[in-house]
Amino acid sequence: MGCASSKRSKQLHGYEDPSVLAAETPFTASEVESLEELYKKLSNSIIADGLIHKEEFHLALFKNRNQRNLFADRVFDLFDLKRNGVIEFGEFVRSLGIFHPNAPVADKIAFAFKLYDLRQTGFIEHEELKEMVLALLHESELVLSEDIVEMIVDKTFSEADTKGDGKIDLEEWKAFVSKYPSLIKNMTLPYLKDISIAFPSFVVLPEIEDSDVRVSVNGD
């Protein structure tokens, strides 16, 4: 690797030594170095400043910088740990670490919970769930009737809200995910090579059974 590689790396915004990031994430130091190349491509795809802007994130997800999606916006917000409107290299590695096969399942569950907790209240409300279901369907290019969408949302919410207080807390969410593991299926990337410019879908909807209706959105 040598000094040249080190010099190039330090030009990354939010650069941290690979050994430091490896100690704080499931990635090895060599994997962190490999992620530098992906970060460089993303962070210079529209604005050549070495930072990942929201437009660049959308471009990576949809191949279209102008296509807006609540799902993509929420993932971007969670990657943007400093809340400064851009994703730096350290934030990028730490956030992707959640999708590593060796990352704790509890971290994956918590990340998925935050995705649905749009208003950051510590709870998932009915309207938030509906908004995310619609966004995920759009991201998956799956078209369902309004009645089917309402059925998915109502059944999912009523089953997850075991306390019956009109909101889903983290404990209820954990119990729901244990019943429907597919919710975090795509939150694990089996191999580093799966992390590409075409980002994976991070979340899937649970399978819903209702007499002759069965819906499963895998985002694949």
Side-chain angles (χ1 to χ4, degrees):
M1 309 242 344
C3 296
S5 176
S6 176
K7 186 175 181 179
R8 286 196 304 271
S9 297
K10 290 178 181 178
Q11 294 174 350
L12 296 173
H13 286 278
Y15 172 79
E16 296 179 46
D17 188 274
S19 61
V20 173
L21 288 170
E24 298 180 9
T25 68
F27 293 115
T28 63
S30 61
E31 286 174 333
V32 172
E33 291 171 357
S34 297
L35 285 172
E36 288 182 19
E37 295 307 311
L38 173 59
Y39 181 85
K40 288 174 185 176
K41 291 178 183 178
L42 292 176
S43 62
N44 292 289
S45 59
I46 297 176
I47 304 171
D49 62 355
L51 292 164
I52 298 177
H53 295 258
K54 185 167 288 189
E55 294 83 1
E56 292 170 319
F57 202 71
H58 277 269
L59 180 63
L61 279 169
F62 301 113
K63 306 300 183 188
N64 183 342
R65 60 186 287 185
N66 296 316
Q67 182 171 345
R68 305 313 300 266
N69 182 280
L70 176 64
F71 167 72
D73 285 344
R74 195 72 192 105
V75 174
F76 180 91
D77 290 343
L78 293 179
F79 271 53
D80 178 18
L81 301 174
K82 294 182 180 179
R83 301 291 187 267
N84 60 355
V86 292
I87 300 173
E88 299 179 1
F89 180 65
E91 295 174 311
F92 183 69
V93 175
R94 285 188 171 84
S95 297
L96 275 183
I98 295 171
F99 301 90
H100 194 284
N102 296 335
V105 173
D107 290 351
K108 299 176 185 291
I109 292 174
F111 188 93
F113 181 83
K114 291 177 182 177
L115 274 178
Y116 285 92
D117 180 16
L118 300 175
R119 295 162 185 78
Q120 302 174 54
T121 60
F123 301 97
I124 300 172
E125 299 176 354
H126 189 279
E127 189 59 30
E128 291 175 317
L129 179 61
K130 182 177 180 179
E131 288 180 40
M132 277 300 294
V133 166
L134 290 171
L136 287 164
L137 290 173
H138 183 267
E139 190 266 341
S140 303
E141 297 184 345
L142 201 66
V143 179
L144 297 177
S145 70
E146 185 175 340
D147 288 344
I148 294 296
V149 171
E150 288 290 347
M151 185 204 73
I152 292 174
V153 173
D154 290 345
K155 284 184 62 66
T156 300
F157 197 88
S158 62
E159 187 171 352
D161 179 23
T162 56
K163 297 177 183 176
D165 56 3
K167 56 190 178 183
I168 302 168
D169 61 29
L170 183 56
E171 290 305 311
E172 290 173 314
W173 178 254
K174 289 178 181 177
F176 189 62
V177 171
S178 69
K179 186 172 183 179
Y180 296 102
S182 61
L183 274 165
I184 59 171
K185 171 188 171 185
N186 286 355
M187 292 199 65
T188 295
L189 305 177
Y191 306 102
L192 188 63
K193 66 182 180 181
D194 288 334
I195 303 173
S196 63
I197 295 301
F199 270 58
S201 294
F202 293 102
V203 187
V204 293
L205 299 174
E207 294 182 349
I208 304 294
E209 293 186 59
D210 185 21
S211 61
D212 59 342
V213 177
R214 183 181 180 86
V215 179
S216 176
V217 179
N218 291 317
D220 293 330

